[in-house]
Amino acid sequence: MEINMELTDKHIVLGVTGGVAAYKAATLLRRLIGAGGEVQVVMTAAATRFVTPVTFQALSGKPVFVDMWDDRIVDNMAHIELSRRADAILVAPATADFLAKTAQGQADDLLSTLALARNCPLLVAPAMNRQMWENPATRRNVELLRRDGVICLGPDAGAQACGEEGDGRMREPEALLESIIDFFAPKLLAGKKLLLTAGPTFEAIDPVRGITNLSSGHMGYAVARAARQAGAEVTLISGPVALSAPQDVTRVSVQSALEMHAEVMRRVTDADIFVAVAAVADYRVERISPQKLKKATGGLPEIHFVENPDILAEVAALPNPPFCVGFAAESEHLETYARQKRARKNIPLIVGNLIQEAFGGADNRVILFDDAGSHPLLVASKNQIARQLIEHIASLMEKK
Ligand code: C5P
């Protein structure tokens, strides 16, 4: 299977209109290209007052178009030529003026003409002063655009260049990139609810000490993101990690295995799919000391352990379980141990990996084990592995 970046082969026209947020469009352009996108920038004349075309030309490696009558396009039909190969037009920032013109089907410059002549989806990231955004005329225009199938990304609330606070800030480039990737991702899990655990657990010994493991949470977070991209409604029960929650994913933060267990059991009856990625501690300290333990003067301290519940096995044993997926991180005998674990926990799919290759790093090598046998995936980033896993889950669920 060929592994691609998330926007490989996608042709995007990035329209930039005249607002202060135009400076953020340069970062957005870099992010789109970084994700593998092929990007053609088109600016309005007003946008060039904020940032010059040279910036976008240097970042995209392509000529930037502003003028309807640009004779660099041989047949002089820039409005047709530039969007002919486009998979989407993204206008960021989109001013109130651009929204108004597009809602009315007006076409008095290159970008508005491109929008009218397009044969592909149009996405807009509005950016304007709070009053302009709240003005009934803008509300009407946005409503008209939505009804016409235009996708409106944002705006966000927060501090504005004019010194005011409120709705109207352009969505940040990283968030816009996520929205574009979501937009293009096949909706293999549309309408499904996916519950997932990720990260390590922390089993307290006393108020300052505890037992944990080296799970970074990256793999679980990547699965949560890929599931959301595939259209699922995702709830992530996460142990302590240094990661921010993926966009549009509900995160519930927990510390111990018992807390993770309680949060999962509270939500699982609602879930269609349960993916247990967390590295849950097998044991916890029987009695957590309420006070900090002092160093013993004679002999070594004794800590008593009790077994933690096996969350995955318990979910799989429910009378009407969701589609259950487990992870088997092993340091040796991967095939044997992963197969045994799949059978013991009675789950349809387990993802096996060697901990030497999985923990902490960006890349991962995994093998999927299901009723049909084993399916090794190519070494890839955790995001790419996660997407392949979601595809596999979707195909198995379809066969059920
Ligand atoms: O039993 P073992 O820890 O090797 O199995 C790993 C799989 O089981 C992972 O999917 C992990 O998230 C899940 N698990 C769990 N609760 C535990 C232990 C493991 O959900 N207490």
Side-chain angles (χ1 to χ4, degrees):
M1 186 194 296
E2 224 217 312
I3 309 269
N4 287 326
M5 280 193 281
E6 287 161 311
L7 293 180
T8 300
D9 297 333
K10 295 290 179 258
H11 291 86
I12 299 163
V13 170
L14 174 61
V16 184
T17 67
V20 183
Y23 79 93
K24 291 191 196 169
T27 306
L28 175 61
L29 171 60
R30 292 212 67 162
R31 298 279 181 273
L32 294 170
I33 292 172
E38 183 85 26
V39 189
Q40 170 64 60
V41 178
V42 175
M43 302 174 78
T44 61
T48 66
R49 305 290 288 257
F50 290 90
V51 186
T52 75
V54 176
T55 303
F56 292 104
Q57 190 150 326
L59 293 175
S60 67
K62 284 191 205 308
V64 168
F65 292 88
V66 179
D67 185 6
M68 273 286 270
W69 315 107
D70 195 315
D71 57 12
R72 285 175 294 178
I73 290 190
V74 267
D75 62 6
N76 247 339
M77 285 204 264
H79 61 295
I80 306 291
E81 204 46 53
L82 292 175
S83 66
R84 187 167 274 166
R85 292 171 67 219
D87 295 299
I89 299 176
L90 167 64
V91 180
T95 57
D97 178 59
F98 177 80
L99 299 179
K101 276 201 303 210
T102 311
Q104 296 304 320
Q106 286 180 19
D108 63 357
D109 65 2
L110 178 58
L111 186 60
S112 52
T113 311
L114 261 178
L116 193 61
R118 76 183 188 278
N119 186 19
C120 64
L122 172 63
L123 300 96
V124 295
M128 66 199 72
N129 159 273
R130 164 179 78 80
Q131 308 276 21
M132 293 170 84
W133 176 249
E134 282 163 14
N135 189 296
T138 306
R139 321 283 339 140
R140 266 197 314 274
N141 291 332
V142 170
E143 187 45 41
L144 277 178
L145 290 170
R146 284 205 173 108
R147 261 191 262 157
D148 290 345
V150 174
I151 296 165
C152 196
L153 307 172
D156 287 346
Q160 302 207 304
C162 53
E164 295 184 19
E165 284 269 334
D167 282 344
R169 278 172 65 89
M170 187 174 92
R171 198 176 269 187
E172 293 300 325
E174 286 70 21
L176 285 175
L177 175 68
E178 282 292 296
S179 305
I180 294 287
I181 292 171
D182 280 10
F183 170 76
F184 284 121
K187 297 292 169 271
L188 299 172
L189 296 183
K192 299 272 189 257
K193 288 188 177 160
L194 185 141
L195 181 67
L196 145 144
T197 63
T201 61
F202 179 87
E203 308 299 331
I205 297 172
D206 68 14
V208 289
R209 302 186 183 93
I211 297 166
T212 186
N213 61 67
L214 287 177
S215 166
S216 65
H218 278 119
M219 192 63 231
Y221 276 53
V223 175
R225 179 170 174 261
R228 183 215 66 220
Q229 286 168 1
E233 189 183 319
V234 182
T235 304
L236 165 62
I237 315 290
S238 174
V241 296
L243 300 172
S244 35
Q247 193 165 303
D248 299 326
V249 161
T250 305
R251 175 166 67 176
V252 180
S253 295
V254 296
Q255 295 269 321
S256 65
L258 280 186
E259 284 169 22
M260 187 174 272
H261 173 261
E263 295 296 349
V264 166
M265 298 323 277
R266 181 174 305 162
R267 292 170 172 82
V268 74
T269 44
D270 219 24
D272 302 294
I273 306 164
F274 176 60
V275 188
V277 198
V280 184
D282 290 324
Y283 307 102
R284 67 177 180 277
V285 177
E286 189 175 24
R287 236 172 308 118
I288 302 170
S289 168
Q291 304 302 333
K292 187 180 168 196
L293 294 174
K294 305 307 285 177
K295 189 174 176 181
T297 43
L300 295 170
E302 273 191 18
I303 298 175
H304 289 278
F305 291 100
V306 287
E307 207 167 324
N308 272 326
D310 186 323
I311 306 170
L312 177 57
E314 210 174 304
V315 170
L318 288 171
N320 191 13
F323 185 90
C324 286
V325 183
F327 272 68
E330 306 295 345
S331 58
E332 56 177 356
H333 309 305
L334 177 61
E335 291 239 10
T336 319
Y337 288 166
R339 282 178 201 281
Q340 284 171 356
K341 226 167 250 187
R342 186 174 96 87
R344 197 170 61 239
K345 302 202 185 213
N346 194 23
I347 53 175
L349 176 64
I350 197 156
V351 184
N353 57 6
L354 284 169
I355 52 176
Q356 303 82 306
E357 292 166 348
F359 273 48
D363 280 1
N364 205 353
R365 180 205 301 272
V366 307
I367 304 175
L368 309 183
F369 300 90
D370 60 18
D371 283 346
S374 64
H375 316 268
L377 303 184
L378 297 177
V379 179
S381 74
K382 288 180 179 174
N383 279 336
Q384 288 159 338
I385 297 272
R387 273 193 293 155
Q388 295 180 71
L389 173 62
I390 292 297
E391 278 168 27
H392 200 83
I393 293 173
S395 76
L396 291 181
M397 288 185 76
E398 206 167 275
K399 284 188 206 136
K400 275 215 310 183

